[in-house]
């Protein structure tokens, strides 16, 4: 797994900010439309970053874990509100609270740290661009296949029979990553299972033929640091 933030940035955050909060499973750290006064560094647990459309459809954009920053899109924006929602996915969720204005002042004062932060933000935006590319250009099937590929890069463990995604996923959760319904995701997953591309055991997915998924979406072989779900 690639490092998410540089060692310098992590050390800076831990020495500059002390407040930590715990978030129970199913609780929101923040929700879309709330005034954004803080950003957060994930210390423990997983947080789902998503957006709900006016018709109630949920689109999950990221699954963040240890050493991921969330709420980062509000930096250096006057009167900012959160554009997305962050929900804790397990009971061990814990974050470091980083007041936005204080972080902005520190970055303005320290050019080296500001450069490190800019490098991370650039990588983050590039990852986001590739996700939207897959969603828009490759349709629902391509969105599912690219999600599985990204999951394998972020949480994959190489096993004898394939790549195990070390994260239990429901069909509804996979559908949310693709911006589609559970029924559509069910049909596509069933086809993949029939063709031996994947197998599913109580929510644990093993990918047996990663190349098949890549060929179907005309994979551009982006670096693993870009082709991730976090």
């Amino acid at each position: 797994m690639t490092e998410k933030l540089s060692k310098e940035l992590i050390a800076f955050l831990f020495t500059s900010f002390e407040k930590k909060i715990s978030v129970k499973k199913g609780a929101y750290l923040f929700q879309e439309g709330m005034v954004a006064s803080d950003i957060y560094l994930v210390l423990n647990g997983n947080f789902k970053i998503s957006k709900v459309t006016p018709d109630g459809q949920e689109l999950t954009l990221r699954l963040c874990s240890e050493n991921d920053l969330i709420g980062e899109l509000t930096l250096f924006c006057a009167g900012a509100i959160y554009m997305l929602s962050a929900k804790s996915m397990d009971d061990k969720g814990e974050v470091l609270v980083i007041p936005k204005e204080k972080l902005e002042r520190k970055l303005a004062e320290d050019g080296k740290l500001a450069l490190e932060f800019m490098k991370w933000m650039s990588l983050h935006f590039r990852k986001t661009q590739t996700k939207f590319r897959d969603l828009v250009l490759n349709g629902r099937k391509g969105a599912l296949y690219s999600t599985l590929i990204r999951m394998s890069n972020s949480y994959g463990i190489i096993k004898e029979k394939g790549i195990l995604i070390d994260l239990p996923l429901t069909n509804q959760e996979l559908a949310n990553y693709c911006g589609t319904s559970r029924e559509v995701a069910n049909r596509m997953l069933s086809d993949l299972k029939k063709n031996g591309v994947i197998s599913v055991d109580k929510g644990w997915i093993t990918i047996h033929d990663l190349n098949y998924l890549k060929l179907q979406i005309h994979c551009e072989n982006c670096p693993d640091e870009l082709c991730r779900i976090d």
Side-chain angles (χ1 to χ4, degrees):
M1 183 177 292
T2 57
E3 189 174 35
K4 302 183 179 184
L5 290 173
S6 69
K7 294 178 181 178
E8 292 82 2
L9 271 175
I10 292 174
F12 159 70
L13 293 174
F14 274 112
T15 55
S16 301
F17 307 100
E18 299 179 353
K19 183 180 177 181
K20 301 174 184 179
I21 58 174
S22 298
V23 188
K24 293 183 179 180
K25 182 177 181 179
Y28 284 95
L29 179 60
F30 56 80
Q31 288 183 277
E32 180 182 353
M34 293 173 57
V35 175
S37 56
D38 303 300
I39 67 172
Y40 305 90
L41 177 69
V42 178
L43 304 177
N44 288 297
N46 294 303
F47 288 82
K48 179 176 68 174
I49 311 300
S50 61
K51 184 177 184 66
V52 177
T53 63
D55 61 357
Q57 180 78 47
E58 181 178 347
L59 175 62
T60 302
L61 295 173
R62 299 172 64 197
L63 183 63
C64 300
S65 54
E66 183 180 359
N67 288 343
D68 271 322
L69 276 178
I70 51 182
E72 74 292 334
L73 296 177
T74 64
L75 278 176
F76 297 103
C77 298
I81 60 173
Y82 292 115
M83 301 171 64
L84 306 167
S85 299
K87 186 178 182 180
S88 177
M89 302 306 292
D90 46 48
D91 284 324
K92 59 182 179 180
E94 184 182 22
V95 297
L96 180 70
V97 180
I98 304 168
K100 188 169 73 77
E101 290 186 0
K102 186 175 180 181
L103 176 59
E104 290 171 348
R105 287 198 302 271
K106 287 183 175 292
L107 290 175
E109 294 167 357
D110 192 322
K112 184 178 179 180
L113 279 174
L115 180 59
E116 288 292 327
F117 196 87
M118 288 172 62
K119 289 179 180 178
W120 176 81
M121 286 293 288
S122 175
L123 177 61
H124 176 54
F125 288 144
R126 290 166 66 199
K127 284 194 291 185
T128 301
Q129 286 177 334
T130 61
K131 289 175 188 174
F132 281 118
R133 175 200 65 195
D134 293 341
L135 285 170
V136 173
L137 297 182
N138 295 322
R140 293 173 178 174
K141 183 179 289 188
L144 175 63
Y145 290 6
S146 68
T147 295
L148 291 172
I149 295 169
R150 291 175 190 279
M151 287 284 186
S152 73
N153 289 332
S154 294
Y155 296 97
I157 298 176
I158 297 177
K159 298 288 186 178
E160 183 178 349
K161 295 183 178 180
I163 303 173
L164 171 68
I165 297 177
D166 190 25
L167 183 75
L169 293 162
T170 67
N171 287 5
Q172 181 62 65
E173 287 171 335
L174 278 173
N176 290 346
Y177 281 104
C178 306
T180 190
S181 67
R182 181 171 58 85
E183 292 75 18
V184 171
N186 287 346
R187 289 197 295 270
M188 294 189 292
L189 290 168
S190 294
D191 289 340
L192 290 175
K193 287 187 282 187
K194 286 179 183 178
N195 294 325
V197 179
I198 67 169
S199 59
V200 183
D201 182 16
K202 298 178 180 178
W204 300 90
I205 298 174
T206 299
I207 300 174
H208 303 293
D209 192 347
L210 187 64
N211 284 333
Y212 174 87
L213 299 176
K214 290 184 175 183
L215 286 171
Q216 291 299 308
I217 64 170
H218 308 290
C219 177
E220 298 178 6
N221 291 313
C222 298
D224 286 354
E225 64 182 5
L226 291 182
C227 188
R228 301 175 60 82
I229 206 67
D230 51 28

